[in-house]
Amino acid sequence: MPETSVVLPVFKPQRYVRAKTPEEVLSIMQTYREKARIVGGNTFLNELAKRGLLSDVEVLLDIEPLELHHLKDEGNRVVIGASTKIEDLAHSPSVKNNAALTALAEAAQNVHPVQIRNLATVGGCISTGVPFLDVPVALLALNAEVRVVAKSGEKSMPIDRYLDMSLTDYMADKFVKELVVTLPRGSYSSCFRKFGLTGFDYALVNVAARTSLDINGICGDASIAVGGKGVELSRMKEAEAVLTGKPLNENTIGAASQKASDTAKVEDDIPLRGSAEYKKHIVKVMVNRALAETATQLGVKNIGHD
Amino acid sequence: MIEITLKVNGQMHRVSVEPGENLLRTLREKIGTRGVKQSCDYGGCGACTVIANGKTVYSCMTLSAKMSDAEITTVEGLETTHGLDPLQTLFMEKWALQCGFCTPGILLSSKCLLDSNPNPSEGEIKEALAGHVCRCTGYIKIIEAVREAAELRSRK
């Protein structure tokens, strides 16, 4: 039998624009809408193009001249420009050496390999509409704020709202300028954990967690985010509530992990990445490991995990 | 078409590229550095790795238009007037290659690693080479060759 070949629509943008001002970016996006795309690190471009998904793109918008490469430590917060490379985020002393932000550096370090970390950008990874990447999970757990440029001026929005929009819609009226991560007051620790089929793979499940502990050993604030290839990217509010106001120990962490597993929305795609039951189990194990690590960092002794 | 300037292996080139053209195509078809290999073409195999402004990147994932004024090193740029780079000699001596298709990319990642970290641990070598697929050697010989190149450099 002759093989049937599928002819995919060709990616052939006609213009490449190095935008010099934010106004120029917005004006092109509003004129061309879906036919204009901002290029960040372009690590997804070739793959999407080869699958015939970018055949309608006419204009590539390079925002490099806007010089959004900054990673500023402002004492009580860290400001990360949209064009910051994942590799720079992974090794930034302000991020990796601050216990409340470590999860973000760990997530960046878990993007493999280095050739991709050297290209991919922070703005790109929250704007491509790909729901299983590592850095967005950490930003979600750290309550990052996204500062966007719109026609009416600059405005901030919480990362969860931005991700909801970027995962479902094409945004022609705004683009990311920078991310702001504010440092909470008190004793905090954060952690990122990833489970993939190989060390190189996209995450099947990725988890970022941050917990606080007061002088009486009570957790005042807990934040847990999960995502991955089979798991809906979201905060685990009910699991967080299990920990708030309680001591951090094996029992409370075990109960929070169970709650995360019960409430996580998972896809049941057995041929590709496993059954829903399997993924829920992995969510429980990974949340447990991430929480146990934050507790250990905060000085809680004898915390074991699965 | 967009006019860009690239410094490839020390030589300036002025080339016209299409807006969506990747660096892999520009280097192979317009500049003629065929040591840059096309394989998977979406960032999964490492064969197209080049050094751009001192950092390894997948050239299949890099838009040429975005790289204007960049300094690029391909495997052709490893050889100097003194001969092959010691990494290249050691890859041959240690049997760190067989068919050779993945070798240019692996050599460039190894060079980039040793330039920034002259005494890498085995784990650091593995991390630096994690973005390469080799279907012949089984990797052990490659790691040994890079290790030995590091030792050779430290003796000089």
Side-chain angles (χ1 to χ4, degrees):
Chain A
M1 225 168 76
E3 275 184 43
T4 41
S5 60
V6 182
V7 181
L8 292 170
V10 181
F11 168 62
K12 215 168 172 40
Q14 286 97 52
R15 289 179 63 200
Y16 187 91
V17 181
R18 290 191 187 96
K20 294 188 186 53
T21 61
E23 292 74 32
E24 193 182 352
V25 178
L26 290 170
S27 136
I28 291 173
M29 283 168 74
Q30 265 151 20
T31 311
Y32 288 87
R33 301 195 62 84
E34 284 92 336
K35 292 178 179 167
R37 296 293 166 99
I38 293 179
V39 289
N42 27 100
T43 49
F44 275 107
L45 195 80
N46 217 20
E47 189 173 350
L48 296 176
K50 282 198 165 250
R51 292 180 185 200
L53 298 171
L54 298 176
S55 55
D56 56 341
V57 173
E58 289 175 17
V59 184
L60 294 176
L61 253 172
D62 185 353
I63 57 165
E64 210 69 25
L66 302 184
E67 299 198 351
L68 303 173
H69 307 95
H70 51 276
L71 209 163
K72 286 185 284 195
D73 186 346
E74 296 184 348
N76 62 343
R77 60 186 189 172
V78 172
V79 182
I80 307 159
S83 301
T84 303
K85 304 284 184 201
I86 301 296
E87 177 73 351
D88 295 331
L89 182 62
H91 300 294
S92 153
S94 332
V95 180
K96 70 174 180 187
N97 297 338
N98 189 318
L101 305 179
T102 322
L104 187 53
E106 287 175 343
Q109 289 156 14
N110 268 283
V111 178
H112 292 293
V114 64
Q115 286 99 321
I116 290 179
R117 292 198 300 274
N118 283 336
L119 289 170
T121 65
V122 177
C125 81
I126 61 167
S127 307
T128 40
V130 179
F132 45 78
L133 303 178
D134 299 317
V135 172
V137 181
L139 290 168
L140 204 52
L142 303 190
N143 279 324
E145 248 176 84
V146 185
R147 204 170 280 164
V148 296
V149 183
K151 213 162 188 184
S152 52
E154 283 185 22
K155 56 182 175 188
S156 285
M157 59 173 81
I159 181 81
D160 51 350
R161 228 182 93 214
Y162 180 83
L163 286 171
D164 275 349
M165 291 193 318
S166 81
L167 291 176
T168 50
D169 213 359
Y170 175 79
M171 285 179 273
D173 58 344
K174 55 177 103 48
F175 69 94
V176 183
K177 181 191 175 199
E178 58 198 11
L179 283 129
V180 182
V181 188
T182 305
L183 287 170
R185 279 164 189 267
S187 182
Y188 273 83
S189 179
S190 68
C191 169
F192 173 87
R193 286 289 181 269
K194 172 175 177 173
F195 183 88
L197 301 185
T198 66
F200 197 84
D201 196 16
Y202 289 126
L204 177 76
V205 174
N206 48 20
V207 174
R210 180 159 77 178
T211 55
S212 77
L213 212 56
D214 67 16
I215 46 166
N216 302 315
I218 299 295
C219 172
D221 185 11
S223 148
I224 304 163
V226 302
K229 220 147 176 183
V231 184
E232 190 179 294
L233 176 61
S234 57
R235 279 280 290 272
M236 301 278 95
K237 298 276 186 191
E238 288 183 51
E240 293 169 3
V242 172
L243 291 176
T244 316
K246 306 256 175 50
L248 289 179
N249 57 39
E250 242 175 77
N251 290 338
T252 54
I253 287 176
S257 313
Q258 185 61 52
K259 185 57 92 179
S261 171
D262 295 342
T263 51
K265 292 196 181 98
V266 298
E267 266 175 71
D268 196 42
D269 57 352
I270 295 167
L272 272 176
R273 306 264 168 170
S275 64
E277 189 190 0
Y278 170 65
K279 283 170 197 163
K280 282 203 173 256
H281 177 70
I282 301 292
V283 168
K284 186 170 106 183
V285 173
M286 299 315 282
V287 170
N288 199 307
R289 287 183 190 176
L291 288 171
E293 178 61 25
T294 62
T296 305
Q297 295 291 328
L298 288 166
V300 180
K301 301 269 187 285
N302 304 321
I303 291 235
H305 56 69
D306 299 345
Chain B
M1 299 292 267
I2 304 141
E3 293 287 311
I4 63 161
T5 312
L6 289 174
K7 191 173 183 183
V8 182
N9 302 326
Q11 250 192 323
M12 295 301 284
H13 294 266
R14 207 166 164 75
V15 283
S16 295
V17 298
E18 284 172 38
E21 183 172 320
N22 62 28
L23 186 61
L24 170 64
R25 206 184 130 204
T26 309
L27 288 169
R28 281 184 63 83
E29 295 176 13
K30 298 186 177 164
I31 296 183
T33 45
R34 297 289 176 91
V36 188
K37 299 299 181 197
Q38 178 180 352
S39 180
C40 77
D41 215 11
Y42 62 88
C45 75
C48 70
T49 299
V50 299
I51 302 175
N53 297 326
K55 296 197 164 178
T56 50
V57 298
Y58 286 151
S59 62
C60 75
M61 277 186 169
T62 311
L63 281 174
S64 300
K66 214 171 177 202
M67 296 309 283
S68 196
D69 298 324
E71 224 170 284
I72 312 282
T73 305
T74 68
V75 73
E76 289 88 345
L78 290 185
E79 194 179 350
T80 65
T81 47
H82 304 295
L84 293 177
D85 188 283
L87 267 167
Q88 291 173 297
T89 316
L90 279 162
F91 266 56
M92 290 193 287
E93 286 173 4
K94 292 269 150 194
W95 290 95
L97 70 146
Q98 286 179 36
C99 87
F101 192 86
C102 66
T103 313
I106 296 179
L107 283 167
L108 292 164
S109 283
S110 306
K111 181 178 163 42
C112 213
L113 168 72
L114 296 184
D115 286 350
S116 62
N117 180 0
N119 187 24
S121 65
E122 190 178 320
E124 286 167 332
I125 296 173
K126 286 181 178 170
E127 165 69 29
L129 301 184
H132 295 272
V133 172
C134 170
R135 288 289 175 254
C136 305
T137 65
Y139 304 102
I140 302 295
K141 300 281 179 195
I142 297 171
I143 295 163
E144 285 171 3
V146 177
R147 191 61 245 147
E148 192 139 334
E151 281 163 20
L152 186 71
R153 278 195 189 197
S154 69
R155 283 203 295 271
K156 277 186 181 169

